[in-house]
Amino acid sequence: MPALKANSGVKGIIRSTEIDTRMLGMIGALVVIWVLFHFLSGGIFLSPRNLWNLTVQTSSIAVMATGMVLVIVTRNIDLSVGSLLGFTGMAMAALQTDVLPQYLGLDNPFTWVVALILGIALGVVIGGLQGYVIAFLGVPSFIVTLGGLLVWRGGAWWLTSGRTVAPLDDTFRLMGGGAEGSLGTTWTWIIALVACVLVAASMVMARKRRTKFGFPLRPVWAELAIAVFAFVVLAGAAAVFNAYEWPSMIAARYAKAHGMTVPEGGLHIGYGVAIPVLMAIVTGIVMTFVSRRTRFGRYVFAIGGNPEAAELAGINTRWVLMKVFMLMGGLAAIAGAIATARLNAATNALGTLDELYTIAAAVIGGTSLAGGAGTIAGALIGALVMQSLQSGMVLLGVDSPLQSIVVGIVLVIAVWIDSVYRRRAA
């Protein structure tokens, strides 16, 4: 079975490992940002506490960014996702506090389930409505979703006449993280171990598929290097999550409620991976499978690469486009659940400017505004880059207007880099 041609030097190593140079550049930029903010913040940025909070804050944007990849791949845009997050979040909060208790009773264990399902269904319906207008009525997505930005932001206020809705169902709140909304040290290590096994299994299966179809194989050293890097990242992330411990007062209350004796040095309970972070990771895995391994995903990229050719090939481009926006609506609703659960309240400002961060995450992650190219993994890293910038500037005491300026500049630079990359690749 042929192996990839061995090459010397840095370019040769990258070619042998088949690493996406744009992805490598994003990871390098993320490392530089982290090291710089860690130095400027006096060693606070890379502390377990800040990294744990950073991942939780990234979760809602990361979930929406996975859907925005498919939207942009089809040469469209969705400016309404921030408002849709706020609208569906407000709807789910109102269902839990005002509507469902009348029918299910107070403290019903299924209240949060019904609210979540109805909220996601509402997001899918709204996304489908916008997708229908775009795909079947021919109105540009920029105009439709710009209108949606205004309509759903006003709708969130209209639902509750502008009041903040709180508190939320206790189980629903687990999706926002916090002490109870984390899996703890044991389960975090178990998940890390399972992830390592899955990475190894996927690499073995990929190598077998290449052998079966006669494709060139990566050198064994390259396979081992990638596997070791993945294992180190997974183990390191688990160690960081577990190093952040519950505050002593919360740990003491937990011990008292469970009849535990608090040791003399205090009770040390690690947070572990937060539930919203796990939700974002699972969403990324599912969306990667959808985009790469399903007919729908192939159709999406075909439409983005050449809409006319896709139409001539028999693809129902209008229906596929409508489904893309339905998917985007559902993901915005999931992000709305995470955001409202994290605050334990739904406010009218929820999701404001999140459309900017979501689009920026997808573009920074390598999704081309010209359509036809983009990766889910890149969007997740892009979301982490955007949130890292915001978190770092908050730690440094940078004013909000200047934060917006920096984010805007970063977005423009990302689009410029994309255009340069496409010209060189042409």
Side-chain angles (χ1 to χ4, degrees):
M1 185 55 55
L4 290 175
K5 185 178 179 180
N7 297 278
S8 60
V10 176
K11 289 185 178 179
I13 293 174
I14 294 176
R15 189 176 296 112
S16 297
T17 56
E18 299 182 350
I19 296 175
D20 186 349
T21 54
R22 298 183 71 176
M23 184 78 70
L24 190 63
M26 275 190 298
I27 295 174
L30 182 62
V31 171
V32 170
I33 291 171
W34 282 11
V35 172
L36 180 62
F37 278 134
H38 187 67
F39 174 77
L40 294 177
S41 64
I44 298 176
F45 189 85
L46 291 180
S47 64
R49 176 181 179 179
N50 188 67
L51 290 178
W52 189 90
N53 286 319
L54 175 63
T55 56
V56 172
Q57 293 163 2
T58 305
S59 300
S60 59
I61 297 297
V63 168
M64 291 195 295
T66 63
M68 189 61 71
V69 169
L70 300 188
V71 172
I72 297 178
V73 161
T74 60
R75 304 187 182 187
N76 289 282
I77 201 73
D78 193 340
L79 301 176
S80 68
V81 292
S83 298
L84 186 53
L85 180 155
F87 181 74
T88 54
M90 184 67 77
M92 284 184 278
L95 283 169
Q96 294 174 59
T97 58
D98 300 335
V99 180
L100 293 178
Q102 300 179 25
Y103 300 96
L104 302 180
L106 295 174
D107 300 324
N108 189 297
F110 296 104
T111 295
W112 74 275
V113 177
V114 176
L116 180 62
I117 292 175
L118 292 178
I120 295 175
L122 177 62
V124 171
V125 170
I126 293 174
L129 174 63
Q130 294 184 157
Y132 177 83
V133 175
I134 294 166
F136 289 92
L137 301 186
V139 182
S141 61
F142 181 89
I143 299 301
V144 174
T145 57
L146 179 61
L149 182 151
L150 301 173
V151 169
W152 309 122
R153 180 61 60 192
W157 187 95
W158 177 77
L159 278 177
T160 59
S161 300
R163 66 183 177 89
T164 296
V165 180
L168 305 181
D169 181 87
D170 290 340
T171 307
F172 185 87
R173 288 169 54 190
L174 298 181
M175 290 186 289
E180 298 292 337
S182 301
L183 300 185
T185 55
T186 301
W187 275 108
T188 298
W189 283 120
I190 291 174
I191 290 173
L193 178 60
V194 171
C196 289
V197 172
L198 291 176
V199 168
S202 65
M203 294 182 70
V204 170
M205 291 175 62
R207 195 171 182 88
K208 287 183 177 180
R209 284 197 299 268
R210 287 185 173 219
T211 303
K212 179 179 179 180
F213 294 104
F215 294 153
L217 300 176
R218 280 190 296 224
V220 175
W221 67 263
E223 298 273 13
L224 292 176
I226 294 173
V228 169
F229 176 77
F231 296 161
V232 170
V233 169
L234 290 169
V240 169
F241 290 147
N242 289 336
Y244 180 37
E245 297 181 344
W246 289 16
S248 57
M249 293 185 63
I250 295 179
R253 287 200 301 267
Y254 176 84
K256 183 178 179 180
H258 292 79
M260 300 170 59
T261 302
V262 179
E264 185 175 343
L267 189 62
H268 300 282
I269 303 176
Y271 275 83
V273 64
I275 290 177
V277 176
L278 189 61
M279 291 174 64
I281 294 173
V282 171
T283 300
I285 294 172
V286 172
M287 289 296 292
T288 298
F289 177 81
V290 168
S291 63
R292 290 186 176 184
R293 301 294 181 185
T294 67
R295 180 182 299 178
F296 169 72
R298 291 192 291 271
Y299 285 176
V300 168
F301 280 87
I303 292 171
N306 192 324
E308 291 78 12
E311 187 87 37
L312 293 173
I315 298 175
N316 190 342
T317 56
R318 293 181 178 181
W319 175 230
V320 172
L321 184 58
M322 182 175 171
K323 287 195 289 187
V324 167
F325 279 92
M326 292 171 67
L327 181 60
M328 184 71 255
L331 291 171
I334 294 174
I338 293 174
T340 52
R342 186 162 66 89
L343 295 176
N344 190 25
T347 68
N348 291 293
L350 192 68
T352 301
L353 293 183
D354 277 7
E355 58 277 349
L356 168 64
Y357 288 96
T358 302
I359 295 170
V363 174
I364 290 174
T367 305
S368 175
L369 290 173
T375 63
I376 303 301
L380 294 177
I381 297 176
L384 190 56
V385 169
M386 293 302 300
Q387 191 58 50
S388 296
L389 286 172
Q390 187 180 32
S391 177
M393 288 187 289
V394 169
L395 283 178
L396 298 180
V398 177
D399 293 335
S400 295
L402 185 55
Q403 293 181 31
S404 299
I405 291 173
V406 172
V407 171
I409 292 174
V410 169
L411 178 58
V412 173
I413 292 175
V415 175
W416 173 70
I417 292 175
D418 173 70
S419 62
V420 171
Y421 182 86
R422 287 178 61 85
R423 283 199 300 268
R424 290 184 177 180

